[in-house]
């Protein structure tokens, strides 16, 4: 069994660049243009909610920069097919992309040494065609940093195991280290690139204390005229975490503004397009799928949410398709599976408490509150209500305003599905032989997993 979340592996990044499942090609192009036109030192922050694909975005950008640099993994043919007209401009302004995952190293007291090790990895001798001076220069800076703070370490051990030991605890000579970094950039970077772009990812997942140290140290140490820094984080979440450390009156967002020059928001993904890319047919007019897509769009579903719902969407829709005739051939009989089940599936993911209350027949109110945001659901619901209650238009439950009529019908149906008491007045109120417990598989609704 593999992980639910799609990992940003090199292969996945290349596939994302070529297939563009999140429709971010234009955003990538626009950002690449900014990276080569701003005047360093300059700092960006890519701001988007957790699970929105920030890592995929910055790794795609880094990959394009790598392909555009003749001294790195140059691939001009693929480059031309990826960022379009920006390709020529990128080749004229070659960059050295450096990626650092802050979350993987937030057990350090101070982050500068693993960041420097990331730089060393980015200029690994085998990946640089030509001189080795820059790689040696980085090694010299790391060894200087280590010696300044009183540790004797071997650079090879740092690069391979730099997440194992905290050797920055007694870091005291920041100015000397900054001078060394400045010397390194000035003397050796021009042999590889016109500018370095340092991507610092996953700040919002770090311990707040470590995240602040990353921001403070990179702001202090990477202010050279050839360096652009790119943070990717959820500013709102990070600011909230800081309030947890410094108190609720601490103005986290204002504080964070001092660390960047420009904030960029990623556009939300389009769930229908992403599910289609993952092999789910969202375009066949299938009611279950239409309602699912409506509700994911309403929830502004993140990449992570879509990935975690893919299995249940696939299995439930497959079960319904394979058992279509078992529950009858009428629109009313199919409403539980085609209309209500996709709502419950999305509700169970986003609101586990409401899902528990449903299963225990405690409260069904959250079902309609979510379902009403799907136009396809409302159309289907009105059609079914008209069929079930329409003959008695002058009587309750039909004779009430349309919104309460819809709520009442959904609650009655949920009572039929999740309750076991035929004397329940809500079950009796349905009063239609087309909707009975033979219209659905109760085990399916309790577990949201097709029965074996």
């Amino acid at each position: 069994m593999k992980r639910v979340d799609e990992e940003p592996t090199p292969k996945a990044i290349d596939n994302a660049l070529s297939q563009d499942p999140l429709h971010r090609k234009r955003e990538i192009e626009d950002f690449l243009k900014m990276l080569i036109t701003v005047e360093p030192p300059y700092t960006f922050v890519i701001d988007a909610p957790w699970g929105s694909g920030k890592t995929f975005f910055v790794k795609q950008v880094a990959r394009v920069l790598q392909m555009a640099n003749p001294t790195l993994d140059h691939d001009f043919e693929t480059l031309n097919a990826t960022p379009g007209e920006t390709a020529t401009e990128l080749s004229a302004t070659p960059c050295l992309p450096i990626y650092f995952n802050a979350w993987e190293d937030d057990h350090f007291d101070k982050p500068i040494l693993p960041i420097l090790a990331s730089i060393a990895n980015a200029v690994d001798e085998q990946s640089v065609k030509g001189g080795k001076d820059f790689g040696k220069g980085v090694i010299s800076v790391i060894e200087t940093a280590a010696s300044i703070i009183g540790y004797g370490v071997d650079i090879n051990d740092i690069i391979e195991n730099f997440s194992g030991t905290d050797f920055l605890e007694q870091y005291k000579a920041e100015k000397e280290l900054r001078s060394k970094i400045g010397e390194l950039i000035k003397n050796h970077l021009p042999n590889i690139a016109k500018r370095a772009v340092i991507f610092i990812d996953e700040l919002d997942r770090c311990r707040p204390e470590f995240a602040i140290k990353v921001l403070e140290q990179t702001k202090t140490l990477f202010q050279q005229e050839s360096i652009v820094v790119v943070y990717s984080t959820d500013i709102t979440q990070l600011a909230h975490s800081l309030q947890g450390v410094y108190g609720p009156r601490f103005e986290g967002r204002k504080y964070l503004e001092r660390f960047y020059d420009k904030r960029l928001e990623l556009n939300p993904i389009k769930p229908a397009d992403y599910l289609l890319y993952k092999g789910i047919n969202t375009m066949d007019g299938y009611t279950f799928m239409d309602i699912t897509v409506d509700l994911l769009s309403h929830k502004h579903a993140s990449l992570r949410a879509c990935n975690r719902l893919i299995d249940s969407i696939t299995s439930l829709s497959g079960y319904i398709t394979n058992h279509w005739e078992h529950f009858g051939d009428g629109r009313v009989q199919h409403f539980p599976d085609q209309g209500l089940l996709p709502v419950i599936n999305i509700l169970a993911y986003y609101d586990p408490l409401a899902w528990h209350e449903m299963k225990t027949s405690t409260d069904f109110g959250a079902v309609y509150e979510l379902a009403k945001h799907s136009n396809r659901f409302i159309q289907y619901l009105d059609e079914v209500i008209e069929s079930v209650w329409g003959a008695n238009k002058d009587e309750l439950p039909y004779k009430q305003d349309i919104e309460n009529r819809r709520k009442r019908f959904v609650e009655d149906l949920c009572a039929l599905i999740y309750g076991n008491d035929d004397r329940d007045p809500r079950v009796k109120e349905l009063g239609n032989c087309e909707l009975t417990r033979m219209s659905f598989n109760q085990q399916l609704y309790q577990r949201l997993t097709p029965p074996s």
Side-chain angles (χ1 to χ4, degrees), residues 183-436:
E183 185 180 318
L184 166 72
I185 298 300
K186 180 179 178 180
N187 294 338
H188 300 300
L189 180 63
N191 298 327
I192 295 177
K194 289 189 175 181
R195 61 184 57 182
V197 181
I198 304 175
F199 297 92
I200 298 180
D201 195 15
E202 303 278 24
L203 272 178
D204 47 331
R205 299 180 73 181
C206 296
R207 291 179 294 110
E209 300 88 347
F210 182 79
I212 286 299
K213 288 175 181 177
V214 170
L215 292 167
E216 290 176 343
Q217 292 190 5
T218 51
K219 179 178 176 63
T220 302
L221 297 173
F222 296 110
Q223 286 296 303
Q224 290 75 21
E225 293 182 357
S226 300
I227 292 185
V228 176
V229 176
V230 179
Y231 301 112
S232 59
T233 188
D234 180 345
I235 290 288
T236 301
Q237 181 58 43
L238 184 55
H240 182 72
S241 297
L242 294 179
Q243 286 180 327
V245 175
Y246 299 111
R249 300 183 67 180
F250 180 74
E251 295 184 352
R253 291 190 71 95
K254 280 190 176 181
Y255 175 75
L256 292 171
E257 285 178 3
R258 63 189 288 222
F259 295 106
Y260 59 84
D261 298 297
K262 188 174 183 62
R263 183 178 70 91
L264 301 172
E265 294 184 6
L266 291 183
N267 291 329
I269 70 166
K270 296 179 179 179
D273 293 339
Y274 183 68
L275 293 178
L276 189 63
Y277 167 72
K278 298 296 286 186
I280 297 177
N281 189 351
T282 58
M283 303 177 67
D284 61 358
Y286 183 30
T287 304
F288 177 96
M289 202 60 65
D290 288 346
I291 294 172
T292 295
V293 169
D294 276 353
L295 296 180
L296 288 176
S297 298
H298 163 67
K299 285 291 188 180
H300 303 290
S302 68
L303 186 65
R304 181 168 283 110
C306 289
N307 280 327
R308 297 193 174 197
L309 281 162
I310 281 174
D311 284 348
S312 63
I313 292 170
T314 302
S315 61
L316 292 176
S317 62
Y319 175 83
I320 294 169
T321 300
N322 294 331
H323 293 79
W324 180 270
E325 296 179 355
H326 179 74
F327 301 113
D329 56 5
R331 292 278 289 166
V332 173
Q333 291 168 308
H334 287 148
F335 180 73
D337 287 351
Q338 290 277 9
L340 194 61
L341 188 58
V343 177
I344 295 171
N345 186 42
I346 302 300
L347 180 68
Y349 175 79
Y350 280 101
D351 193 343
L353 176 59
W355 165 230
H356 174 74
E357 290 175 340
M358 283 190 63
K359 290 192 294 182
T360 56
S361 298
T362 305
D363 188 356
F364 302 121
V367 183
Y368 181 73
E369 287 305 309
L370 174 62
K372 69 182 182 182
H373 296 286
S374 166
N375 290 333
R376 189 70 183 87
F377 176 86
I378 292 298
Q379 291 170 2
Y380 195 0
L381 175 63
D382 287 346
E383 178 185 333
V384 171
I385 289 176
E386 190 65 28
S387 177
V388 175
W389 289 343
N392 303 307
K393 293 187 177 182
D394 295 327
E395 302 174 10
L396 289 175
Y398 189 95
K399 189 180 179 181
Q400 55 187 327
D401 69 87
I402 191 168
E403 193 70 5
N404 281 318
R405 185 191 312 159
R406 290 167 176 166
K407 287 181 184 178
R408 193 155 167 173
F409 188 90
V410 170
E411 184 172 338
D412 289 356
L413 182 56
C414 288
L416 175 69
I417 293 172
Y418 289 99
N420 292 302
D421 185 1
D422 289 332
R423 295 170 299 175
D424 187 325
R426 294 171 298 184
V427 174
K428 290 183 176 181
E429 193 169 70
L430 286 174
N432 187 287
C433 61
E434 287 186 84
L435 280 174
T436 68

Side-chain angles (χ1 to χ4, degrees), residues 113-114 116-117 121 139 142-143 146 153-163 167:
L113 203 52
L116 291 173
N121 285 332
I139 290 172
I142 296 178
E143 289 175 341
V153 291
D154 178 20
I155 181 58
N156 293 319
D157 290 336
I158 292 175
I159 294 176
E160 292 178 9
N161 304 304
F162 65 83
S163 64
F167 38 80

Side-chain angles (χ1 to χ4, degrees), residues 133-145:
D133 289 345
F134 190 75
K136 290 179 179 178
V138 176
I139 290 172
S140 173
V141 171
I142 296 178
E143 289 175 341
T144 298

